[in-house]
């Protein structure tokens, strides 16, 4: 298998002022893929701002993005002539002294329209103070410019900064050509021409770029040549700097650090976990004014004290008075934005005084230090833009395949493609693909769903806890979702021993079910009668001291695809294999790379390809900058049965998984939940909930004593 490579170094991006509209007509032989993303459809993020000079309150918190899709990771730019030239409506831009206050300029990441993009908004916020608690949807004037439409559009964009004539950001559109290697790299796009240059060396991944006030230098968090090792919590990246103009003069300045931000040309702040007391804290790195720059010549000092987690620091040019940080305190379950006074060495509360039971993420400060921005749930709104979705259209790189994110897990299509079964932890549901006629058919804990191709309305699932031991009671059950009696929990138990029987898949003739079971002391594959279960016939398909799981039957009945760790049992590394139902023809389909994962295969309707989830593309952003994801490297890929033509379908920093390939083409447009109100909820990073023991192994905090040098992780 030879992954597709994109050898271009310099790309031209189209800087369209408005979204281009493309007519999507269903291809004659088109199909659709649906998949789950942990929590993503409940985010409803918008960007808000508070003044730094006034006491925080609900009346002076302003929502500055427009409530469409999710909007996050903002940046307040200093408007340059190149940036202002993009505005189609320049009536907002008046000569200095003729506007009070001037428009609020914002650069941010948005996922509207089914793909990641970077927008520029100029927002007129001259509303009476008494009205400033109103939604940004009521702000009278907004000019909005998508900055990166066109080539390279189907990729994740992140952490944008405008510096002079250039937009600097992360994109994942180039495949490094190695399994389990991040595609994240930093690019600079000239605003007026669209000319784009890659700043990250090929074969290297960079995260969280920050441009110095002069625009000369860019700092990033990076693994450098050592690469990603599979971390999904606080990363052991280092801080590198290089010239923004072309990426040259790259040098490591700090060992172990992330999320850098500059104050001036020789000072930057970053976060890392302290080796002394295990708290995540903000540190300051001071570069030498003369001589070569290296980790030996850079002075590193701890800034925030132990006793709380402080991370994702934000600075403003020349501001040596305060920084903004996100915090997790032992006495709070929520992430909040606080200022840290660099003179008094004390915290100043912000968002906790406004919305104490809401998470606030990734602060940023305006160039004049007058405002701090962040993103959070937008809250209740009557606007149609906030209607919850059953299916969110995700732009597909393949013209004959439409791609959707579902509000659920383990989805599967009915044989006709008109209905979808999915689980919601707990409970199993069936819904028409247009969002109508949703009904719960099982109330217990279940995972994985599969329809019988020959018996209308019969759905199979695994009933029991997820991620359980070999002997845990998990059984395969069948449910008639069209039961005339309409009874919930009317099901038939097909396995008898309860020893972790899971992930059923049905043969195309509807007569057999392949599933995994731990009955032998190892998770291997078995095949049983689809109607009577084990009583009607059972035989073992695979055997060995490893885990074979997550199987799927090809439409022609010739192959069963499954995930297995058989080449490194117990390591957590899973690869995809194919086997004939009679146990012959075993071969590997996807090589995951060292310690990699490829899971949840699903055959295309023509049987020529498989969709699956994998960490082939590594991680794309620092996990601490997002809500919780168990596996933030999960992306959706397709591959042909001979292992060729590997294609990446999704690009984000979330956990995409459990894909299913449907038999019909669904028009690429969002499908709303009828009758459901707006909501926004997500989990904080679980590992941030683990607070170090106060006082254990921690030296007394002395803010006057600098800690020179840099600690190793």
């Amino acid at each position: 298998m030879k992954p597709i490579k994109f050898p271009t170094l310099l790309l031209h991006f189209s800087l369209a002022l408005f979204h281009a509209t493309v007519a999507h007509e269903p291809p004659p032989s088109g199909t659709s893929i649906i998949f789950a993303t942990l929590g993503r459809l409940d985010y409803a993020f918008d960007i808000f701002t508070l003044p730094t000079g006034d006491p925080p309150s609900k009346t002076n918190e302003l929502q500055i993005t427009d409530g469409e899709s999710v909007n996050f990771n903002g940046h307040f730019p200093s408007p340059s002539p190149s940036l202002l030239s993009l505005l189609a409506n320049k009536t907002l831009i008046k000569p200095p002294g003729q506007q009070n206050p001037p428009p609020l300029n914002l650069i941010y990441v948005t996922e509207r329209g089914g793909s990641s993009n970077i927008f520029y908004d100029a927002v007129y916020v001259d509303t009476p103070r008494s009205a400033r608690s109103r939604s940004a949807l009521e702000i009278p004037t907004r000019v909005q410019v998508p900055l990166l439409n066109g080539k390279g559009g189907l990729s994740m964009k992140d952490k944008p900064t405008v510096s002079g004539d250039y937009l600097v950001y992360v994109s994942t559109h180039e495949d490094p050509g190695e399994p389990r290697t991040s595609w994240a790299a930093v690019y600079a796009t000239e605003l007026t021409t669209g000319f784009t240059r890659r700043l990250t060396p090929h074969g290297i991944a960079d995260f969280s770029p920050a441009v110095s006030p002069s625009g000369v230098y860019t700092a990033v968090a990076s693994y450098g040549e050592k690469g990603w090792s599979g971390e999904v919590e606080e990363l052991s990246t280092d801080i590198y700097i290089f010239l923004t103009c072309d990426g040259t003069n790259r040098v490591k300045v700090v060992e172990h650090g992330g999320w850098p931000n500059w104050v001036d040309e020789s000072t930057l702040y970053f976060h890392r976990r302290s080796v002394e007391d295990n708290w995540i804290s903000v540190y300051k790195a001071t570069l030498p004014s003369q001589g070569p720059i290296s980790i030996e010549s850079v002075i590193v000092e701890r800034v925030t004290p132990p006793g709380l987690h402080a991370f994702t620091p934000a600075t403003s040019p020349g501001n040596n008075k305060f920084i903004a940080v996100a915090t997790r305190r032992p006495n709070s379950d929520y992430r909040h934005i606080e200022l840290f006074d660099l003179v008094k060495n004390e915290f100043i509360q912000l968002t906790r005084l406004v919305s104490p039971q809401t998470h606030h993420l990734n602060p940023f400060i305006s160039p004049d230090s007058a405002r701090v921005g962040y993103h959070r749930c937008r809250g209740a709104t009557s606007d149609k833009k906030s209607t919850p979705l059953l299916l969110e259209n995700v732009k597909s790189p393949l013209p004959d395949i439409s791609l959707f994110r579902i509000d659920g897990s383990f989805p599967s299509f009915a044989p006709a493609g008109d209905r979808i079964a999915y689980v919601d932890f707990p409970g199993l549901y069936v819904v028409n693909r247009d969002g109508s006629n949703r009904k719960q058919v099982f109330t217990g804990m279940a995972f994985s769903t599969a329809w019988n191709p020959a018996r209308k309305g019969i759905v199979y699932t695994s009933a029991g806890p997820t991620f359980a031991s070999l002997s845990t009671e998990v059984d395969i059950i069948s449910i008639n979702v069209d039961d005339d009696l309409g009874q919930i929990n009317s099901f038939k138990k097909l396995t008898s021993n309860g020893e972790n029987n899971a992930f059923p898949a049905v043969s195309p003739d509807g007569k057999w079910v392949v599933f995994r079971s731990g009955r032998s002391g190892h998770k291997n594959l078995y095949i049983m009668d689809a109607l009577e279960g084990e009583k009607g016939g059972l035989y073992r398909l695979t055997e060995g001291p490893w885990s074979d799981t997550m199987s799927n039957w090809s439409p022609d009945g010739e192959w069963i695809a499954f995930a297995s760790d058989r080449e490194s049992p117990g390591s957590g590394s899973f690869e995809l294999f194919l086997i004939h139902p009679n146990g012959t023809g075993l071969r590997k389909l996807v090589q995951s790379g060292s310690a990699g994962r490829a899971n949840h295969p699903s055959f295309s309707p023509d049987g020529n390809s498989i969709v699956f989830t994998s960490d082939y593309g590594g991680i794309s952003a620092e996990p601490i900058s997002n809500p919780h994801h168990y596996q933030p490297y999960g992306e959706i890929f397709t591959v042909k049965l001979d292992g060729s033509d590997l294609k990446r379908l999704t690009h984000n920093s979330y956990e995409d998984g459990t894909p299913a390939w449907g038999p019909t083409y669904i028009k690429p447009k969002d499908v709303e939940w009828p009758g459901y109100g707006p909501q926004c909820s997500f989990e904080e990073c679980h590992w941030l909930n683990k607070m170090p023991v106060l006082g254990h192994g921690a030296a007394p905090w002395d803010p006057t004593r600098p800690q020179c040098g840099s600690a190793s992780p």
Side-chain angles (χ1 to χ4, degrees):
M1 175 179 58
K2 295 182 179 179
I4 297 173
K5 295 185 178 181
F6 300 90
T8 53
L9 174 62
L10 302 179
L11 302 174
H12 287 276
F13 280 45
S14 170
L15 288 176
L17 297 184
F18 301 98
H19 281 298
T21 57
V22 179
H24 291 277
E25 293 298 329
S29 58
T31 57
S32 299
I33 292 172
I34 55 176
F35 62 94
T37 304
L38 179 66
R40 164 59 182 77
L41 288 181
D42 292 331
Y43 283 1
F45 287 151
D46 264 311
I47 293 177
F48 292 74
T49 180
L50 281 168
T52 59
D54 297 330
S57 67
K58 290 184 180 295
T59 58
N60 61 18
E61 184 189 49
L62 178 69
Q63 180 182 328
I64 49 178
T65 47
D66 60 6
E68 184 171 346
S69 185
V70 293
N71 307 295
F72 57 98
N73 286 359
H75 163 67
F76 289 127
S78 296
S80 65
S82 295
L83 186 62
L84 297 179
S85 70
L86 301 177
L87 296 177
N89 179 0
K90 296 182 174 60
T91 58
L92 288 179
I93 311 303
K94 301 177 182 178
Q98 296 185 20
Q99 48 187 359
N100 185 29
L104 192 59
N105 294 278
L106 178 69
I107 304 293
Y108 59 99
V109 179
T110 184
E111 294 185 353
R112 64 193 68 198
S115 66
S116 177
N117 204 346
I118 297 171
F119 271 35
Y120 165 40
D121 282 15
V123 182
Y124 188 65
V125 294
D126 190 18
T127 53
R129 178 175 294 273
S130 62
R132 287 187 182 176
S133 62
R134 299 184 306 178
S135 165
L137 300 171
E138 299 179 74
I139 291 175
T141 308
R142 175 189 304 273
V143 179
Q144 192 172 79
V145 181
L147 294 181
L148 291 176
N149 278 350
K151 193 172 183 180
L154 294 182
S155 67
M156 188 203 76
K157 315 296 191 308
D158 196 26
K159 201 65 165 50
T161 300
V162 166
S163 179
D165 296 334
Y166 288 88
L167 174 69
V168 178
Y169 57 97
V170 169
S171 179
T172 59
H173 64 271
E174 290 189 277
D175 181 358
E178 292 293 330
R180 215 160 179 258
T181 300
S182 175
W183 296 25
V186 175
Y187 297 82
T189 294
E190 191 172 8
L191 292 168
T192 54
T193 68
F195 178 78
T196 297
R197 183 186 298 274
R198 178 178 173 130
L199 304 181
T200 301
H202 285 276
I204 303 295
D206 286 340
F207 313 103
S208 312
V211 182
S212 67
S214 70
V216 172
Y217 296 105
T218 293
V220 295
S222 179
Y223 286 107
E225 295 183 354
K226 64 184 179 183
W228 177 60
S229 63
E231 296 172 311
V232 295
E233 297 182 359
E234 191 253 345
L235 304 184
S236 58
T237 51
D238 302 320
I239 304 296
Y240 288 77
I241 65 172
F242 49 77
L243 293 178
T244 307
C245 61
D246 58 9
T248 61
N249 291 8
R250 183 182 176 101
V251 60
K252 184 197 296 186
V253 296
V254 172
E255 286 188 344
H256 187 193
W259 206 267
N261 266 285
W262 300 85
V263 172
D264 53 47
E265 299 306 294
S266 62
T267 309
L268 54 83
Y269 290 80
F270 63 94
H271 63 221
R272 74 174 174 206
R273 188 182 293 274
S274 167
V275 295
E276 290 84 11
D277 50 53
N278 213 32
W279 292 99
I280 300 174
S281 297
V282 174
Y283 290 75
K284 181 175 75 171
T286 305
L287 281 56
S289 58
Q290 296 180 345
I293 299 175
S294 66
I295 57 175
E296 290 78 17
S297 64
V298 173
I299 299 175
V300 175
E301 306 168 75
R302 190 173 186 172
V303 176
T304 58
L308 79 167
H309 292 313
F311 46 94
T312 57
T315 59
S316 53
N319 181 2
N320 294 306
K321 295 181 179 180
F322 64 84
I323 59 175
V325 297
T327 64
R328 276 298 313 279
R329 292 179 174 270
N331 61 351
S332 174
D333 293 330
Y334 295 91
R335 184 187 305 203
H336 281 288
I337 307 303
E338 304 183 35
L339 300 182
F340 185 76
D341 190 315
L342 297 170
V343 178
K344 297 180 180 180
N345 292 308
E346 63 184 22
F347 287 96
I348 302 170
Q349 300 286 335
L350 287 181
T351 60
R352 186 176 286 106
L353 302 178
V354 179
S355 302
Q357 296 185 333
T358 301
H359 290 292
H360 302 74
L361 290 81
N362 303 355
F364 55 101
I365 303 176
S366 60
D368 62 2
S369 304
R371 286 190 171 275
V372 60
Y374 47 86
H375 62 269
R376 67 166 175 84
C377 289
R378 65 179 62 102
T381 173
S382 61
D383 192 87
K384 189 174 177 61
K385 295 177 182 178
S386 297
T387 303
L389 302 177
L390 167 65
L391 299 176
E392 180 186 37
N393 171 49
V394 177
K395 283 189 177 180
S396 172
L398 306 176
D400 59 340
I401 297 175
S402 57
L403 190 60
F404 295 91
R405 176 181 286 125
I406 188 171
D407 186 15
S409 296
F410 294 98
S412 62
F413 282 101
D418 57 337
R419 292 189 288 178
I420 299 170
Y422 67 94
V423 301
D424 202 22
F425 301 122
L428 190 150
Y429 297 80
V430 175
V431 64
N432 293 342
R433 75 181 197 190
D434 65 359
S436 63
N437 198 28
R438 176 181 183 260
K439 65 177 180 178
Q440 186 175 21
V441 296
F442 183 70
T443 61
M445 182 63 73
F447 60 99
S448 187
T449 63
W451 296 76
N452 189 305
R455 297 173 60 208
K456 187 177 184 296
I458 303 299
V459 173
Y460 301 81
T461 190
S462 321
T466 61
F467 300 105
S469 66
L470 290 170
S471 59
T472 300
E473 185 174 352
V474 181
D475 278 299
I476 306 298
I477 63 174
S478 64
I479 304 169
N480 184 352
V481 301
D482 295 329
D483 185 352
D484 292 337
L485 298 178
Q487 295 178 341
I488 297 180
N489 294 334
S490 176
F491 61 87
K492 185 174 185 178
K493 185 177 175 182
L494 300 182
T495 52
S496 58
N497 60 35
E499 293 184 343
N500 211 321
N501 305 292
F503 294 105
V506 191
S507 62
D509 62 5
K511 295 180 179 180
W512 303 98
V513 172
V514 59
F515 65 102
R516 77 107 195 269
S517 177
R519 65 188 64 200
S520 70
H522 302 285
K523 293 178 181 177
N524 293 146
L525 299 183
Y526 296 77
I527 295 178
M528 66 178 173
D529 184 87
L531 180 61
E532 299 298 331
E534 293 184 22
K535 297 177 182 178
L538 174 74
Y539 71 89
R540 188 169 183 168
L541 179 61
T542 64
E543 183 174 357
W546 49 67
S547 291
D548 297 331
T549 186
M550 305 174 191
S551 52
N552 191 254
W553 216 307
S554 68
D556 62 5
E558 288 294 311
W559 293 103
I560 292 172
F562 64 98
S564 178
D565 69 349
R566 57 179 52 213
E567 293 194 345
S568 185
S571 67
S573 176
F574 282 82
E575 296 169 315
L576 297 187
F577 291 81
L578 293 170
I579 192 171
H580 291 304
N582 63 5
T584 64
L586 178 70
R587 64 181 174 89
K588 186 194 297 186
L589 176 63
V590 172
Q591 174 71 37
S592 300
S594 176
R597 291 187 176 185
N599 289 318
H600 300 291
S602 175
F603 277 93
S604 61
D606 63 9
N608 294 326
S609 299
I610 283 177
V611 63
F612 63 101
T613 183
S614 177
D615 65 353
Y616 181 94
I619 59 169
S620 298
E622 293 190 53
I624 200 171
S625 66
N626 278 331
H628 179 70
H629 290 273
Y630 293 98
Q631 300 171 353
Y633 46 72
E635 302 284 358
I636 307 301
F637 291 80
T638 59
V639 68
K640 291 185 176 179
L641 286 198
D642 61 2
S644 67
D645 201 23
L646 180 72
K647 285 186 169 64
R648 180 173 178 172
L649 301 190
T650 62
H651 292 258
N652 55 63
S653 56
Y654 313 135
E655 179 183 351
D656 294 339
T658 63
W661 207 323
T664 58
Y665 184 85
I666 304 174
K667 289 185 178 181
K669 55 187 296 186
D670 295 341
V671 177
E672 298 177 352
W673 274 121
Y676 287 81
Q679 60 180 338
C680 181
S681 64
F682 58 89
E683 294 184 51
E684 170 67 293
C685 296
H686 290 185
W687 45 278
L688 282 177
N689 296 328
K690 301 174 184 178
M691 302 290 175
V693 178
L694 289 174
H696 179 70
W701 171 247
D702 182 1
T704 65
R705 185 185 67 187
Q707 299 179 2
C708 299
S710 54
S712 300

